[in-house]
């Protein structure tokens, strides 16, 4: 395959500042050099490339939109989105790692933590010295986290956590878990450190999607944590939902990177693969697939660009983020499926990035709110009517 070119049919690059392009190109180059050559192996072996964590940190990709005073890059949200796009072009597992570390661990500590928690944890998470995870989903509560069963009871100067979380990215390798539990009916956030008595994080094996990402259960068996590990400003279900908005924003950009990788691989293949004495790219049915991919990626780019500018102006509504996560993930998955088709038998081989992206995107369609849950969120926003229940 040739060097990654990106997709810029509508000159969306012209909408970016010089600094935004520079951030994008720096991460793009790093992904091409360091990640792309090894992601198929990690996918096959179901391992995360741990050695890349310090390099990702050096690029400033963890909590990239958080302030520099905590060791973060202080980027604007469009630059952050471009970072996610480039990481996911490498693999959804890389973007997932950065999403969780930044949007789901550093963000809640910054938004709901005490000064002491912020000063202690954020710089260590930004530098990759510490790894975090985010526990909201439970075995019996995925789309409806408001009904969670995990409980927090205050005993003297300790909180006692009891319950289980499931499908938690990075759980087994995390030094710190941001855990959501109910205290007297109200959701609150807690910081649980690895090694705390009563806390374990077994890995979930046998995934056929996001194989280059660690996924785990979190188990709390009367797990006692100090009083000071409560996130003091967390208040109700809205607190984790605000974290999800950050991560969903990153996914809306990220999946375009996976789609672009599939589009480029399919386009190049269609120009060199000869059947019936001509390149398959010369057949109308193949062109139809390529034009679908280009059109949808281009529309997706315009969507997230506008979303990013709205976020920078603090004018964003969570339903707009839902619309972008829902649309871009669906078109990325469809792009991957069409690209796989264009490669024929080669489309199912890890020699090409397509089947890996396609399998990954199946999980991306489910996590951070399923496609259908985002339909209901946008539906509620436009009708004023709740169709969840
Ligand atoms: P509902 O009654 O619909 O809403 C309660 C109030 O909250 C408002 N709201 C939000 N506000 C801010 N941001 C959001 N995202 C919000 N979603 C809802 C809503 O407008 C309402 O406000 P008001 O003023 O009318 O009271 O709440 P519900 O209990 O029915 O819940 C529905 C909800 C929102 C929980 C559901 O729609 C949802 O989002 N479910 C999806 C759960 C989910 O996304 N889990 C993700 C877990 S983390 C993960 O997957 C990480 S993957 C990471 C990786 O590896 O990259
Ligand atoms: P369910 O909620 O059981 O949904 C099953 C089906 O029912 C879906 O099709 C859904 O759309 C549909 N459905 C549910 N409710 C409704 C309704 N009201 N109307 C119509 N249809 C409905 N969670 C975390 O907390 N932290 C993480 O780090 C994390 N990482 C993940 C990593 C991976 C690889 C995966 C696969 C998941 C991860 N998750 C994480 C969990 C993820 O957020 C949930 O899987 C997701 O929210 C959906 O929940 P569920 O799987 O329980 O599906």
């Amino acid at each position: 395959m040739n060097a990654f070119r990106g997709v810029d049919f509508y000159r969306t690059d012209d909408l970016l500042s010089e600094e935004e392009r520079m951030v994008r190109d720096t991460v793009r180059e790093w992904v091409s050099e360091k990640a792309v050559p090894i992601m198929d192996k990690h996918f096959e072996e179901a391992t995360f490339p741990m050695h890349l964590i310090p390099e990702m940190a050096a690029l400033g990709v963890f909590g990239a939109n958080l302030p520099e005073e905590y060791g973060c890059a202080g980027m604007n949200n469009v630059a952050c989105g471009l970072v996610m796009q480039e990481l996911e072009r490498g693999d959804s597992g890389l973007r997932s790692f950065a999403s969780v570390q930044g949007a789901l661990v550093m963000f809640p500590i910054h938004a709901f933590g005490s000064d002491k928690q912020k000063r202690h944890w954020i710089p260590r998470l930004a530098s990759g010295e510490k790894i975090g995870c985010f526990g909201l989903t439970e075995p019996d509560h995925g789309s409806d986290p408001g009904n969670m069963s995990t409980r927090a009871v205050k005993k003297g100067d300790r909180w006692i956590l009891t319950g289980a979380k499931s499908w938690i990215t990075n759980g087994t390798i995390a030094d710190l878990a941001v855990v959501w539990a109910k205290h007297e009916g109200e959701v609150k956030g807690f910081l649980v450190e690895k090694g705390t008595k009563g806390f374990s994080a077994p890995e979930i094996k046998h995934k056929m999607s996001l194989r280059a990402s660690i996924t785990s259960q979190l188990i709390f068996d009367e797990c006692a944590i100090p009083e000071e590990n409560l996130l003091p400003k967390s208040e109700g279900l809205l607190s984790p939902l605000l974290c999800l908005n950050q991560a969903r924003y990153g996914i809306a950009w990220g999946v375009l990177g996976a789609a672009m990788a599939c589009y480029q691989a399919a386009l190049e293949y269609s120009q060199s693969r000869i059947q019936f004495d001509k390149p398959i790219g010369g057949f109308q049915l193949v062109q139809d697939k390529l034009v679908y991919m280009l059109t949808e990626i281009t529309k997706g780019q315009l969507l997230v660009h506008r979303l990013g500018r709205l976020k920078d102006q603090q004018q964003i509504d969570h339903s707009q983020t839902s619309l972008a996560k829902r649309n871009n993930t669906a078109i990325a998955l469809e792009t991957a499926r069409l690209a796989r088709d264009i490669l024929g038998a080669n489309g199912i081989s890890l020699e090409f990035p397509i089947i890996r992206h396609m399998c990954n995107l199946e999980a991306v369609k489910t996590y951070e709110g399923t496609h259908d849950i985002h339909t209901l969120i946008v539906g509620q926003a436009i009708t004023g009517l709740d169709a969840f229940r």
Side-chain angles (χ1 to χ4, degrees), residues 103-104 107-108 112 134-137 145-146 148 165 178-181 187-189 231 234-248 368:
L104 298 180
F107 171 84
F112 314 120
F134 175 90
L136 180 65
T137 304
M148 69 177 67
K165 301 287 175 181
V178 171
V179 179
W180 302 94
V187 175
K188 288 180 180 295
L231 290 174
S234 61
E235 244 181 66
L237 185 63
L238 184 63
S239 298
L241 291 179
L242 293 176
C243 304
L244 301 186
N245 294 342
Q246 307 299 314
R248 291 167 178 177
E368 281 296 347

Side-chain angles (χ1 to χ4, degrees), residues 136-147:
L136 180 65
T137 304
E138 299 185 347
D140 295 331
H141 301 287
S143 297
D144 66 340
N147 277 328

Side-chain angles (χ1 to χ4, degrees), residues 270-286:
S270 77
Q271 290 163 326
S272 62
R273 173 74 175 168
I274 310 290
Q275 290 294 289
F276 299 95
D277 303 320
K278 72 175 196 184
I280 58 169
F283 296 119
Q284 291 177 0
L285 289 173
V286 174

Side-chain angles (χ1 to χ4, degrees), residues 107-121:
F107 171 84
I109 295 174
H110 185 253
F112 314 120
S114 64
D115 279 349
K116 191 174 165 199
Q117 289 167 341
K118 289 193 234 189
R119 273 186 278 109
H120 180 78
W121 286 110

